[in-house]
Amino acid sequence: MATNFGRGLRALGHQSKENIVIFAETRKEWLISAMGCFKQNFPLCTLYATLGDEAVVHGINETEVRHIITSHELLPKFKTLLAKCPNVTHITYFGDQLKETSLDGYKAGIVFNSFEDVIKKGNNSSFSDEPPREDDTAIIMYTSGSTGAPKGVIMSHHNLVNSIIGYAVGLNIKRDDIYLAYLPLAHVLELMAESMMMMFGVPMGYSTPLTMTDRSSKVKRGCPGDCSVLKPTMMAAVPLILDRIYKGILDKVAAQGPWLGKLFEFGLEYKLNWMKRGWDTPICNWFVFRKVRALLGGRLRIMAVGGAPLSPDTHNFVRASLGVPVLQGYGLTESCGCATLMDQYDLTTGQVGAPLQVCDIKLVNWEEGNYRITDKPRPRGEIVIGGSNIAVGYYKNPKKTKEDFFDSDGRRWFRTGDIGEFGEDGCLMIIDRKKDLVKLQFGEYVSLGKVESELKVCPSVENICVYGESSKNNIVAIMSPVQKNLEDLARSLGKKDLRRELLCMDDDINKALLQELVATGKKAKLERFELPTALFLTSELWTPDTGLVTAAFKLKRKSIQVKYQDAINRMYAS
């Protein structure tokens, strides 16, 4: 299908080395289309399905594409967007299983083809493949941009192949594995994972976060979720998904009464104690954790996590309750998602593993933040990655490319902006980020990302953003609360009206949740100045559609600050 799809695009007039955009959700047709483009040496420009209209138009116009690949669900967006995209002449769409795709109401002169039409054209054509060379562009991947407009990262075929090899060695993939695919394919983590599965011939099942488990919000009660049907052995995750699994398991246990809750707590502590000594607990696994394992199909043997810091509590909890190694990795779009990965027998938390064999990592001094490679007991500094996985640069942005990329010692290097520390075992810890660091009035530095990852463990937190001003001596927090916990708290405080908007404005609830946050922070041993002194509750759920988080659910700090500036001012005034 990939071969015929690529040839079908040639039959429609697409030329080798001519850019093409893919703007669709994660599904098998996405990957087949990508492989078809690679076979014909078409640079593939990827856009997140959750990007705002302005960012989509920016990506399409900057890459000057004539042809867009999209899906039945996203196609109607182009009724308005095409007016701002003068170069576009062709649209290929993935159909829906149940509904006909309407092609009325679009700009005149656009040629539409379904995915199946293009494959038929390729099957009946006389075109052959035009394989790329290693330095040809494979992907221009637009980041979701936690700051400013999205940037296109240019990855060559050489970059992609080396990154896949780097991860494949670390993950020990087996012949009978099954992979659960649900993260955005326009995100480098998922693209690398699925490409790896194709290299090893591992079957993949496509899911979504809303249909993953039996208890997911779009699964009818009594019907099995995707994991129960597929029974995967491997999955990739971002910390937000694991935080949800963590809270979901705790809620399920709490609903079964105090006696079972105590048994679960004892089982968890017992298992963690033996795990640290290198032993498994088969009887405890069967009696206490059997149903928890069944949530994700019961056969999971490895889980890789990346995209943001994972809190130690969540890491230990998921590792023990699911009985699988949870391997934290570290990488950026600019390093093709590849830099470090934990070993599956490493039982530590708070670190992201050792460098993979395809790259080198060094730390350089960051004087402004007081991080130096001469620091004792361990060297600290900005993380710089070099190797064959480092991208070519940013598309049509030589100034930013020159700032962040450089060549030295016969290899390409990238300045990450993340602050790291090397442990005695050679493993890397991410301890800060240049953009996340705030210096308060009395000179204390607060790492906003670190504080947020600790506070997210609080059961009432759906999502949280911490904010600090250098002219003040305290930090404040904006929080989107978990609906069920919010309602339970309201009932315990004697509130009658349980509408989310009203509860979020209630002073008693605000006070109680702030106390809960501070207690969570103290438990995580945060410093006094790292604890929020005021809280604003928002009734809005932060999804990529709102523009407040990226497709990988990282906070867009600037967007959040702009939206909630009045609330921030009121918190500081109080």
Side-chain angles (χ1 to χ4, degrees), residues 74-189:
L74 294 171
L75 186 59
K77 270 183 174 266
F78 290 99
K79 286 182 181 177
T80 52
L81 296 188
L82 285 176
K84 301 172 192 168
C85 306
N87 298 325
V88 176
T89 55
H90 285 72
I91 291 182
T92 295
Y93 61 89
F94 308 142
D96 187 82
Q97 289 172 307
L98 304 174
K99 298 172 195 156
E100 276 285 315
T101 303
S102 166
L103 300 176
D104 298 329
Y106 293 89
K107 190 172 92 173
I110 301 291
V111 178
F112 288 95
N113 284 285
S114 71
F115 177 72
E116 289 76 16
D117 290 341
V118 177
I119 285 174
K120 274 182 203 158
K121 282 182 179 13
N123 197 24
N124 299 329
S125 77
S126 57
F127 289 102
S128 58
D129 294 348
E130 279 208 20
R133 292 195 310 274
E134 63 174 37
D135 55 351
D136 284 334
T137 299
I139 290 185
I140 301 168
M141 182 170 276
Y142 277 86
T143 62
S144 47
S146 46
T147 54
K151 300 187 292 284
V153 178
I154 307 167
M155 302 177 194
S156 69
H157 286 274
H158 179 69
N159 295 151
L160 290 188
V161 171
N162 277 286
S163 301
I164 292 166
I165 291 167
Y167 267 134
V169 172
L171 283 171
N172 185 25
I173 296 163
K174 296 183 176 163
R175 204 177 206 147
D176 57 351
D177 274 323
I178 295 173
Y179 178 75
L180 180 79
Y182 67 95
L183 292 172
L185 257 167
H187 191 286
V188 71
L189 174 66

Side-chain angles (χ1 to χ4, degrees), residues 309-326:
L310 179 63
S311 88
D313 279 0
T314 304
H315 198 162
N316 274 331
F317 181 90
V318 174
R319 188 188 262 163
S321 58
L322 293 177
V324 295
V326 178

Side-chain angles (χ1 to χ4, degrees), residues 100-344:
E100 276 285 315
T101 303
S102 166
L103 300 176
D104 298 329
Y106 293 89
K107 190 172 92 173
I110 301 291
V111 178
F112 288 95
N113 284 285
S114 71
F115 177 72
E116 289 76 16
D117 290 341
V118 177
I119 285 174
K120 274 182 203 158
K121 282 182 179 13
N123 197 24
N124 299 329
S125 77
S126 57
F127 289 102
S128 58
D129 294 348
E130 279 208 20
R133 292 195 310 274
E134 63 174 37
D135 55 351
D136 284 334
T137 299
I139 290 185
I140 301 168
M141 182 170 276
Y142 277 86
T143 62
S144 47
S146 46
T147 54
K151 300 187 292 284
V153 178
I154 307 167
M155 302 177 194
S156 69
H157 286 274
H158 179 69
N159 295 151
L160 290 188
V161 171
N162 277 286
S163 301
I164 292 166
I165 291 167
Y167 267 134
V169 172
L171 283 171
N172 185 25
I173 296 163
K174 296 183 176 163
R175 204 177 206 147
D176 57 351
D177 274 323
I178 295 173
Y179 178 75
L180 180 79
Y182 67 95
L183 292 172
L185 257 167
H187 191 286
V188 71
L189 174 66
E190 184 66 16
L191 183 66
M192 287 294 105
E194 292 192 29
S195 301
M196 219 181 302
M197 299 308 139
M198 293 212 47
M199 187 167 88
F200 283 90
V202 169
M204 293 181 272
Y206 285 89
S207 175
T208 73
L210 302 175
T211 58
M212 199 185 291
T213 69
D214 301 355
R215 298 173 65 83
S216 292
S217 55
K218 283 202 173 181
V219 175
K220 188 179 176 184
R221 289 291 162 260
C223 292
D226 297 334
C227 284
S228 301
V229 177
L230 184 69
K231 297 190 174 6
T233 61
M234 301 181 80
M235 67 182 281
V238 291
L240 186 81
I241 297 285
L242 292 194
D243 287 335
R244 284 179 182 170
I245 290 171
Y246 174 24
K247 287 171 189 170
I249 293 169
L250 287 181
D251 287 348
K252 197 174 179 183
V253 170
Q256 292 176 337
W259 188 85
L260 274 169
K262 290 288 177 200
L263 176 68
F264 189 84
E265 272 178 42
F266 169 77
L268 194 64
E269 208 167 308
Y270 176 81
K271 174 145 192 184
L272 282 169
N273 272 330
W274 283 107
M275 267 176 64
K276 282 172 191 164
R277 299 170 193 177
W279 295 86
D280 197 8
T281 54
I283 296 169
C284 183
N285 290 351
W286 199 88
F287 274 108
V288 182
F289 301 117
R290 186 173 84 254
K291 286 188 176 173
V292 174
R293 267 185 74 78
L295 273 176
L296 293 178
R299 289 188 63 225
L300 205 62
R301 72 169 189 88
I302 206 159
M303 185 185 270
V305 186
L310 179 63
S311 88
D313 279 0
T314 304
H315 198 162
N316 274 331
F317 181 90
V318 174
R319 188 188 262 163
S321 58
L322 293 177
V324 295
V326 178
L327 312 183
Q328 255 199 107
Y330 169 68
L332 306 97
T333 308
E334 290 86 348
S335 69
C336 295
C338 173
T340 70
L341 184 67
M342 286 177 78
D343 185 86
Q344 58 183 358

